[in-house]
């Protein structure tokens, strides 16, 4: 007969399975506690942490490229190209 773990054990297992930096941020910065918060709350904060980390990494890389003078090629989408064409047609010189 299967015995399912209690909620506290599930939360502790979740905390043991995430990176230490994330665990510290959830506990210290977001004030989460396995004694009080649910797994769903921990998961929501962990997802938000990952999204914030990705955004920070993107802008860190972008800033370092600018500092070294490297430029990323600009990709002009179809919308911008058509918009420019329309502006030229409506604004004769």
């Amino acid at each position: 007969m299967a015995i399912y773990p209690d909620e506290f054990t599930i939360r502790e297992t979740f905390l043991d399975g995430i990176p230490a930096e994330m665990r510290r941020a959830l506990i210290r910065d977001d004030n989460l506690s396995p004694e009080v918060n649910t797994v769903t709350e921990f998961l929501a904060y962990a997802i938000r942490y990952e999204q914030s980390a990705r955004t920070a990494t993107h802008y860190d890389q972008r800033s370092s490229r600018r500092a070294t003078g490297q430029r990323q090629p600009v990709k002009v989408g179809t919308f911008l190209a058509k918009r420019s064409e329309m502006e030229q047609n409506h604004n004769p010189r």
Side-chain angles (χ1 to χ4, degrees), residues 17-87:
I18 61 176
E21 184 178 327
M22 181 188 294
R23 183 175 45 252
R24 283 191 293 273
L26 297 180
I27 293 170
R28 289 183 187 163
D29 302 339
D30 297 322
N31 298 314
L32 297 179
S33 168
E35 291 87 7
V36 177
N37 299 97
T38 66
V39 172
T40 304
E41 291 170 319
F42 271 100
L43 183 59
Y45 278 87
I47 290 169
R48 194 170 80 193
Y49 175 90
E50 285 183 332
Q51 290 169 339
S52 297
R54 269 194 303 256
T55 301
T57 299
H58 167 77
Y59 283 100
D60 288 346
Q61 290 172 349
R62 183 178 169 155
S63 294
S64 67
R65 282 194 302 267
R66 284 186 178 175
T68 60
Q70 295 176 352
R71 296 186 58 126
Q72 284 289 87
V74 177
K75 295 180 182 177
V76 179
T78 305
F79 172 77
L80 294 177
K82 287 187 180 202
R83 178 179 170 191
S84 176
E85 182 181 322
M86 287 173 50
E87 287 174 351

